[in-house]
Amino acid sequence: MIEYNNLLNDIILTKTGSITSFELFLFIIFALLASLLIDIVFGELPTKIHPVIIIGSLIGYFKKTFIGIKNRFSGLFVVLGVCIVSSLILYIIYLIAGINIVLLFIIFAVLLSSTFSVNMLLQTAVDVKKAFDISIDKARQLVSYLVSRDTEELTESFIVSATIESLTENITDSYVAPVFYYFIFAIIFLYYHIDNSLYYLLLIPMFYRISNTLDAMLGYKTDELIYIGFVPAKIDDILNYIPSRISGIFVVISAYLLGLDGANAYRIMLRDARNCPSPNSGYTMATTAGALNIQLIKKDTYILGDDNKDITRDDISRAVDLSKLTIILYTITIILLFILLYVIL
């Protein structure tokens, strides 16, 4: 068993950049597992203290400040402003938490959990399916919170499609991407001696969440946002490029393991993933359509998959199971790869 004093000493030394320890290696892994447990058991943090809500407020402030600049630099200024202020807030929290290793671990895990959203991702899809038992209007109401399209006249099949689209598209944004960047930089910080490595390790997935929130709030080609939203949208596209394709591969593997049509999932991913306006979102949506042998349709925007069978509300449950296994397999794989790289390095 690692002694408490040795762990504390190593973390302090790591913060000053003097060593890269086995204890830091364990901290990185257990912090992710703890953060995932926090998210699954407790869900989202309270609104008043949720980092994404704070980030959203900062985006709103800098949007008002720079939206008058009618060129693409306005979006860049918003990105820089939000990132700088968020970094300072996070650093203050990090310094306060750093007085005690147990407090540091708890705060680190809680904040890391705020960079992804597995519980809400899965539960919202389940809630839409349950809403059908009340009324189709209730299902329309719930799905309206998930998608930007008009849901008032959607039939059951289009509600199911929109739910599965939202669920599977967000596998990348809500989990795979932030964890991907967390471990990429964890490897770097284990190999190189960097001051305040734990702070930067937390800052990296937080920056991803900032980028994702910026894109969600500003990344639309409306008259108001056409300039200010350009840079945030492009940054989000770049950051999601690799994770989205990784997500698609894991959906294919999960489809095989669940006895779904894995071969068709891979075929449809290659054929239809680029049908979406986003360069990334189709890699999980199209793959899921192929795995379930259904067609996902957003009117006047895209069609994913083949119309092999009627889409039903039960397909939501299958998509949830597919998403769960994708997240589990991805988590196990990336931790094992991290351990392997640590041993090699």
Side-chain angles (χ1 to χ4, degrees), residues 127-144 151-160 163 313:
D127 289 342
V128 173
K129 186 190 176 187
K130 290 180 179 178
F132 280 115
D133 295 332
I134 301 173
S135 70
I136 192 170
D137 287 333
K138 182 63 176 179
R140 288 183 182 126
Q141 179 187 10
L142 290 184
V143 84
S144 70
T151 63
E152 290 186 3
E153 303 297 328
L154 290 185
T155 62
E156 177 173 325
S157 62
F158 279 106
I159 294 171
V160 172
T163 302
R313 64 185 73 174

Side-chain angles (χ1 to χ4, degrees), residues 240-292:
N240 280 322
Y241 187 87
I242 295 175
S244 65
R245 285 147 180 83
I246 292 173
S247 300
I249 294 300
F250 274 95
V251 173
V252 172
I253 297 170
S254 299
Y256 275 112
L257 293 177
L258 288 173
L260 301 173
D261 198 338
N264 194 50
Y266 183 69
R267 183 180 69 86
I268 297 298
M269 180 181 73
L270 294 181
R271 192 191 75 185
D272 292 351
R274 294 179 181 84
N275 289 355
C276 300
S278 164
N280 302 314
S281 61
Y283 280 88
T284 45
M285 290 194 295
T287 309
T288 301
L292 301 180

Side-chain angles (χ1 to χ4, degrees), residues 181-195:
Y181 288 110
Y182 174 76
F183 275 110
I184 289 293
F185 282 88
I187 294 167
I188 295 172
F189 296 152
L190 279 173
Y191 188 74
Y192 294 101
H193 298 280
I194 300 175
D195 290 350

Side-chain angles (χ1 to χ4, degrees), residues 35-90:
S35 64
L36 187 55
L37 182 64
I38 290 169
D39 179 73
I40 292 172
V41 174
F42 299 105
E44 299 297 310
L45 295 175
T47 302
K48 291 183 179 180
I49 62 170
H50 200 299
V52 173
I53 303 300
I54 297 172
I55 290 167
S57 298
L58 290 174
I59 293 171
Y61 171 79
F62 285 108
K63 173 190 172 185
K64 290 179 182 178
T65 303
F66 295 115
I67 199 167
I69 302 175
K70 298 301 181 182
N71 60 58
R72 292 171 178 176
F73 281 107
S74 58
L76 178 61
F77 293 149
V78 173
V79 172
L80 292 175
V82 175
C83 286
I84 290 171
V85 175
S86 298
S87 299
L88 291 173
I89 294 172
L90 185 63

Side-chain angles (χ1 to χ4, degrees), residues 27 38 101-111:
F27 188 102
I38 290 169
I101 184 58
V102 176
L103 179 62
L104 178 62
F105 181 84
I106 293 172
I107 296 299
F108 189 101
V110 169
L111 290 176

Side-chain angles (χ1 to χ4, degrees), residues 83-259:
C83 286
I84 290 171
V85 175
S86 298
S87 299
L88 291 173
I89 294 172
L90 185 63
Y91 190 65
I92 292 170
I93 295 172
Y94 168 76
L95 288 178
I96 295 171
I99 62 175
N100 180 277
I101 184 58
V102 176
L103 179 62
L104 178 62
F105 181 84
I106 293 172
I107 296 299
F108 189 101
V110 169
L111 290 176
L112 182 60
S113 74
S114 72
T115 66
F116 50 80
S117 185
V118 174
N119 182 300
M120 186 170 71
L121 175 68
L122 300 172
Q123 190 58 48
T124 49
V126 172
D127 289 342
V128 173
K129 186 190 176 187
K130 290 180 179 178
F132 280 115
D133 295 332
I134 301 173
S135 70
I136 192 170
D137 287 333
K138 182 63 176 179
R140 288 183 182 126
Q141 179 187 10
L142 290 184
V143 84
S144 70
Y145 303 145
L146 306 178
V147 296
S148 57
R149 72 199 72 169
D150 183 9
T151 63
E152 290 186 3
E153 303 297 328
L154 290 185
T155 62
E156 177 173 325
S157 62
F158 279 106
I159 294 171
V160 172
S161 179
T163 302
I164 294 174
E165 291 164 48
S166 176
L167 167 65
T168 55
E169 176 184 4
N170 284 294
I171 290 173
T172 301
D173 296 15
S174 295
Y175 187 70
V176 171
V179 173
F180 173 80
Y181 288 110
Y182 174 76
F183 275 110
I184 289 293
F185 282 88
I187 294 167
I188 295 172
F189 296 152
L190 279 173
Y191 188 74
Y192 294 101
H193 298 280
I194 300 175
D195 290 350
N196 299 307
S197 57
L198 288 178
Y199 165 68
Y200 291 112
L201 186 59
L202 186 57
L203 185 63
I204 295 304
M206 195 64 71
F207 272 169
Y208 173 80
R209 183 51 57 210
I210 289 170
S211 170
N212 194 246
T213 308
L214 279 161
D215 180 58
M217 292 181 65
L218 304 180
Y220 297 96
K221 295 180 180 179
T222 62
D223 291 340
E224 180 193 23
L225 302 176
I226 188 68
Y227 292 114
I228 202 168
F230 179 82
V231 171
K234 291 303 178 184
I235 292 174
D236 189 69
D237 286 345
I238 292 169
L239 291 180
N240 280 322
Y241 187 87
I242 295 175
S244 65
R245 285 147 180 83
I246 292 173
S247 300
I249 294 300
F250 274 95
V251 173
V252 172
I253 297 170
S254 299
Y256 275 112
L257 293 177
L258 288 173

